Every structure is written in structure tokens, then in C-alpha cells.
Amino acid sequence: MSTDINPNDRAIAEVPPSVIGEVIPILDFGSQYVQLIARRVRDAGVYSVLLGPTVTIEQLKKLKPKGIILSGGPSSVYEKGAPKPDPRLFELGVPVLGICYGMQSGCELLGAKVEPAHSREYGGVDLHVTDASNLLAGLPAKTTCWMSHGDQVQSLPADFEPLAHTSTCPYAAVKHKTKPFYGVQFHPEVTHTPHGTDLLSNFIFKVCGCHATWKMADFIETEIKRIRQQVGDKRVICGLSGGVDSSVVAALLAKAIGKQLTCIFVDNGLLRKGEREFVERAFVGHFDIDFRVVDASEAFLNDLKGITDPQTKRKLIGSRFIEVFKESAKSIPDAHFLAQGTLYPDVIESGHGYAGTAANIKLHHNVGGLPEQLGFKLVEPLRNLFKDEVRKMGAVLGLPDQMVWRHPFPGPGLAVRILGEITPSQLSILRDADEILLEEIVSNQLYRKTSQVFAVLLPVKAVGVMGDGRTHEQVIAVRAVETQDFMTADWARLPYDVLARISTRIINEVRGVNRVCYDISSKPPATIEWE
Ligand code: XMP
């Protein structure tokens, strides 16, 4: 992607035209919670877009924003080089909400003094609300808020009014008397601030006067038009993995361009039981598209013979995938475009969306290089959406619930869930155990309550007893986690009786397993996968 275009211009150009005039841009000063702020605003039915702090008011004007949010960030406003909003920000005349660092920089711009706090405040603290009108409407006089700051506004000029305080932070929430500026020192976007969503709602609707106009059905219509315009009469290839993102991309493209779409599903021999059939069932017959299954399992499994190192497994699988995909793409000579399920967090984290100041840590392990190697132009219809919005889109497009709510499954599939060497017999044991596990999770209504559940086959043998004889067989680890973003995760507190049934069934029904363990590690320090 070209780097010549100003990243803020690019991000602004991607805002759906239907929301111009009803959008809340968020200036990202490097907060770890910035995506959460954007999600909360969109959850309220108002489109939000993340922009770099260097965005000018001329750029902002193009969006006709209803309000602006200044995020938190790790800097100190008095430090040299600290990111600052355009000093003419308030000339726009639209309400501004500053959160943490955003509050400090907004207050500073309006004449307040920011200094290091006497004591760093971190975690949940009591918030005393003294003015429960407008921004804090509906909040109880005493509630909890989440703090994470070293600096704070120490003295408030006369043209500000305090709205709330904590025992160590005299100005935990403030408003300017004449300018439409509100500031909160705490983080309303995190769940540890129980009334945070109410506060954001108050800002969006009471203060900014937004209408909840961000509707998935409208977005789908706009995107369909955009895709048709981009693609013209050319053919698009979509690599379908069976996961939510690629399935939603395929469903959207099927609606937009139907017969011009070819979906390629690569069977790498590392899929769960019935996976290929499940994806075929969901697409063939329901969508009028060219759907091709490429069975390359032999090649993948051959590559993996004797390999035990996790990263080598990933590398081999990644390059074989590119090889297989390239080969199948050759048989579609009129294809010009490749559709990908890139999501908004990927765009933000890879620094392509805007000049973000947060550290760019790419946390997932997908092998890149596909479009570059194939010379296709990209179609990325989900690049402005969060995961929950993608699920909503899938549901509106008529994908089955089972597809829309699928837990993620890693690209290298069962290869990273069989610790040690991958053999057909190990694959068969893991597939059977995983199938039982998922059956129990679904039938006990736990699938939607968990984020990812799977079985792992450990490379050890344990002693057991069956009938009169001793056994020496393998161990299955059950992993079930709850998470918002897969960057941190906690192990799911599955009911004991469900765990008991899972264990009994796996040991009784899967030949070669005599022990089941439950993984009670959180991430960090563990990861979700075992390899
Ligand atoms: P970890 O194990 O890093 O996993 O806590 C976080 C999320 O990423 C998935 N994951 C992968 N996805 N290729 C993928 O496409 C991979 O190599 C890979 N490794 C982990 C994991 O399933 C979880 O959802």
C-alpha cells in the first residue's frame, strides 16, 4: 500500500458516505483502550473512526463530526514532543470529550495546568458525582471508575466546572463553561467503570445530539455498490477458510457480484472433523457462486513429516498454502482481485489506518504474502469493521448462526494442537476428542458463553487402568477460554459436571486416550494455543 497519502486522509476517505454528518472521530493519543472507545460508540449506533492526533481541523471538517473524542495515552502533556490536538480544535464548535490524557490535553488547551499527581492512581476507585446533569446524567452520587494515570489537572481555571472527584483526584470529571468541552480523568470505555457506557451514551446523544443511524443493512448496501464499482466485470477469488471473517466476505461478495466470485477452500488435512462438509453445506446451494474445494492434504502432511517445532510447522504450512493457492488461482485466468477478511483492528494495528502512536505490535501469526505473490488487487470489505460488526453483517446476510458465532480456528489448524509430530493416527485421536468436546459444549449451551474451546493432544503417555490391565496411553488437554480480544484471556469456569462428562466420554470413546486434563492457565503468561 502506498505511504504517500496522508494516513488521516486515507482513514477519512474510507468513512462510509452515509454516516458523514453523524460520525464521532476519536483522536488516538496511543491509548491501549482506544479500540474499545470506538467499539462502544459504534455499539451505541453511531459510526466512529480512529484518527491520528496530527489530524487538522480542515481534515476533520470533511467528516462533519457531531462530536470528537480525545483518547488517553502514555505521554505527559508537559513533555517535549507530546502529541497534541490541533490548537484550533474548539473552532469546530462541536462537543469534545477528553478521556485521561485526552482530558489533560483538552484542559491544557483551554488554560488549565496539568502536573504529576501526588500518587499514581491505578485501578478501581470511588467516584463522587457532584453534578449529575448532561454528561453524568443518571449516574449515582457514588460509583466506581477505572483510573490509570500519573498526571492530573491540578488547578482548574474559573471557566471550568468540576463534575466529579475521587479521594486523590479533585477534578475527575470537568466541563468548560462556554466551550463544548468535557473531560474525564478515568476510563469510561472499560467494563471496570460500571456506568461508563451510560456516560458515553450521554456524550453521544445528550451532548452531541447524535441519532443512532449506523445500521448494518445500510452499510451492506453501500459496500455492495462500492464493491461493484471497484471490481467492474472482473473476477474475484476468495480464499474461504470456514471462519467467520472469510465466510462473511464470501457471503457479501456473493450478494454483490454473484457469478463473478470464485471461492477456494483448501483442505490442508489439518481440519476438524466434518469441517469441509460444514463449509460446503453453508455455501453450496445457498449462494450462487463458483465454490471449489482443493484437497491438498497429502502435500501438507508430507511437509510436516518428522517436524515437531511449532514455528517450523507454521512456516511450512504457510508456504504450502501459498503454493496451493497460487496453483489453483492459475486455473482462474480472468481473476483480477483477491478478497480478504481484513478487519479494522488489523488495519489499525498494522499502522495503515492513520498515524497511530500506539506501539505497533502485530499479535497474530498469519502468514502474509499472498496478494503480493499473486499480483492481485485486494478487495477488503470488512476493513472498517470490528469483529462484532462482522458477525452482525453475517447474520443480516443470512449466514447460519453456527457460522456467525464460530469460535476462531487457527490457520495451521490441528497441527499446532498436536504437540510433537503430526501423524494420521494422532490427527484421528485429536479429531475424535475435539468433536466430543464441542458436542458437549454446544449441548450444554456453553458455546456462546466461551470464546474458544478446543482439545490438545499432548506428547506424553500416562499410566491408567482398564478392566484388569494397565494401560499406557495419551493425554488430552481441554482448553476453554473467555476473552474480549484474544490478546488477554482467562480460562473458562466450566461446570464440574460438564467437565466430568467431557472427560468420561473422551476416555471411553476415543481409542488411545486414558487421561483428560483441564487447562487452568490465563493469558498472559500462557497463550491460548499450546504451540
Ligand atoms: P495465542 O495462542 O497466541 O492465540 O494466545 C491467540 C489467537 O490466535 C489464534 N492463533 C492463530 N491463528 N494462525 C492463526 O491464524 C496461527 O498460527 C495462530 N496461532 C494462534 C488462536 O487460536 C487464538 O484465537
Side-chain angles (χ1 to χ4, degrees):
M1 215 175 262
S2 154
T3 48
D4 305 333
I5 310 168
N6 176 298
N8 283 321
D9 279 337
R10 179 167 46 220
I12 289 166
E14 284 192 23
V15 171
S18 59
V19 301
I20 303 285
E22 274 294 331
V23 60
I24 298 205
I26 299 164
L27 273 52
D28 177 9
F29 292 103
S31 166
Q32 56 177 320
Y33 303 127
V34 74
Q35 292 189 31
L36 260 184
I37 308 175
R39 275 175 53 190
R40 299 276 180 261
V41 177
R42 290 201 194 174
D43 277 352
V46 175
Y47 194 81
S48 64
V49 56
L50 293 171
L51 298 172
T54 54
V55 69
T56 61
I57 66 163
E58 287 75 21
Q59 286 173 311
L60 284 167
K61 271 182 189 159
K62 293 187 188 148
L63 293 172
K64 302 196 184 110
K66 267 285 173 70
I68 294 169
I69 295 179
L70 311 179
S71 88
S75 315
S76 286
V77 289
Y78 46 79
E79 263 171 23
K80 218 173 139 221
K84 300 277 170 79
D86 188 327
R88 300 165 298 157
L89 186 67
F90 294 104
E91 287 172 22
L92 286 170
V94 301
V96 176
L97 171 66
I99 296 174
C100 197
Y101 178 85
M103 163 182 177
Q104 295 160 13
S105 64
C107 285
E108 191 200 36
L109 202 58
L110 295 169
K113 198 160 168 47
V114 177
E115 285 172 14
H118 297 303
S119 55
R120 263 190 70 87
E121 231 179 349
Y122 185 84
V125 292
D126 285 344
L127 179 78
H128 301 275
V129 175
T130 47
D131 179 346
S133 60
N134 275 328
L135 187 71
L136 304 184
L139 265 69
K142 189 178 153 201
T143 177
T144 306
C145 69
W146 185 260
M147 288 285 195
S148 172
H149 66 111
D151 297 337
Q152 63 187 27
V153 173
Q154 292 292 21
S155 60
L156 207 58
D159 31 5
F160 276 92
E161 274 173 42
L163 306 176
H165 61 267
T166 73
S167 62
T168 56
C169 181
Y171 309 118
V174 299
K175 96 183 242 272
H176 195 274
K177 285 182 184 158
T178 53
K179 307 260 190 231
F181 177 71
Y182 289 85
V184 290
Q185 182 54 68
F186 54 91
H187 289 273
E189 68 277 21
V190 303
T191 48
H192 312 288
T193 300
H195 286 282
T197 311
D198 300 332
L199 186 155
L200 289 172
S201 249
N202 287 339
F203 177 70
I204 296 166
F205 299 110
K206 279 190 200 302
V207 177
C208 302
C210 288
H211 307 281
T213 49
W214 167 232
K215 300 252 165 34
M216 189 46 72
D218 299 344
F219 180 70
I220 290 174
E221 287 314 312
T222 325
E223 242 344 82
I224 286 178
K225 279 191 204 126
R226 201 195 57 72
I227 292 167
R228 286 183 183 149
Q229 211 168 33
Q230 183 190 4
V231 167
D233 57 0
K234 301 287 189 296
R235 179 157 290 279
V236 182
I237 299 185
C238 174
L240 195 55
S241 70
V244 184
D245 307 341
S246 67
S247 302
V248 172
V249 169
L252 180 67
L253 285 166
K255 194 158 180 207
I257 54 165
K259 286 200 179 313
Q260 283 164 254
L261 175 68
T262 297
C263 284
I264 299 179
F265 178 83
V266 176
D267 183 346
N268 58 9
L270 303 161
L271 303 172
R272 286 163 294 191
K273 208 171 189 176
E275 181 78 12
R276 177 168 154 176
E277 296 74 15
F278 171 75
V279 178
E280 270 178 331
R281 259 201 318 277
F283 280 90
V284 179
H286 289 87
F287 295 98
D288 191 15
I289 51 166
D290 174 22
F291 180 89
R292 305 183 187 185
V293 174
V294 181
D295 188 345
S297 41
E298 228 181 280
F300 279 92
L301 297 184
N302 258 330
D303 289 345
L304 291 168
K305 265 192 190 138
I307 306 294
T308 54
D309 175 62
Q311 287 317 90
T312 314
K313 287 179 182 174
R314 282 195 171 84
K315 243 174 76 195
L316 288 169
I317 295 166
S319 38
R320 175 61 66 183
F321 181 80
I322 292 178
E323 191 84 353
V324 170
F325 205 88
K326 240 167 146 174
E327 209 41 51
S328 351
K330 270 194 206 150
S331 64
I332 313 162
D334 57 336
H336 280 63
F337 293 92
L338 181 75
Q340 282 200 332
T342 316
L343 302 194
Y344 198 36
D346 304 327
V347 174
I348 298 163
E349 280 155 28
S350 63
H352 283 305
Y354 61 92
T357 46
N360 284 333
I361 315 162
K362 192 82 185 117
L363 281 162
H364 59 83
H365 328 240
N366 285 328
V367 189
L370 201 50
E372 290 85 349
Q373 295 216 12
L374 296 172
F376 285 127
K377 288 194 192 113
L378 284 181
V379 180
E380 296 177 300
L382 311 182
R383 56 181 278 121
N384 292 308
L385 301 183
F386 288 109
K387 190 86 175 186
D388 35 1
E389 293 172 314
V390 172
R391 293 195 206 276
K392 212 180 267 174
M393 181 186 267
V396 175
L397 288 168
L399 283 175
D401 256 21
Q402 243 182 317
M403 186 69 106
V404 167
W405 288 102
R406 281 198 115 185
H407 290 175
F409 184 64
L414 300 184
V416 289
R417 293 179 179 172
I418 292 171
L419 274 56
E421 192 183 351
I422 297 133
T423 62
S425 65
Q426 295 290 74
L427 275 165
S428 158
I429 292 176
L430 183 57
R431 279 196 181 112
D432 289 346
D434 200 63
E435 186 187 34
I436 293 170
L437 170 60
L438 285 174
E439 263 173 26
E440 290 301 325
I441 292 294
V442 170
S443 63
N444 285 286
Q445 278 89 45
L446 291 164
Y447 194 78
R448 287 279 290 274
K449 293 191 187 134
T450 46
S451 310
Q452 204 170 358
V453 180
F454 55 90
V456 181
L457 184 57
L458 305 189
V460 287
K461 285 200 167 176
V463 171
V465 53
M466 208 170 265
D468 291 334
R470 283 163 78 80
T471 59
H472 195 223
E473 293 179 331
Q474 277 186 273
V475 182
I476 285 284
V478 170
R479 182 72 162 146
V481 295
E482 287 172 14
T483 171
Q484 293 276 335
D485 54 13
F486 295 88
M487 291 185 199
T488 60
D490 198 7
W491 58 280
R493 272 47 171 185
L494 296 183
Y496 279 174
D497 52 346
V498 176
L499 285 171
R501 193 168 156 73
I502 290 167
S503 162
T504 309
R505 279 198 59 198
I506 291 178
I507 292 170
N508 286 346
E509 296 173 35
V510 183
R511 288 280 291 276
V513 175
N514 67 1
R515 211 172 274 258
V516 171
C517 302
Y518 189 49
D519 182 350
I520 52 167
S521 337
S522 60
K523 172 185 178 177
T527 50
I528 296 175
E529 301 289 344
W530 274 51
E531 274 199 340

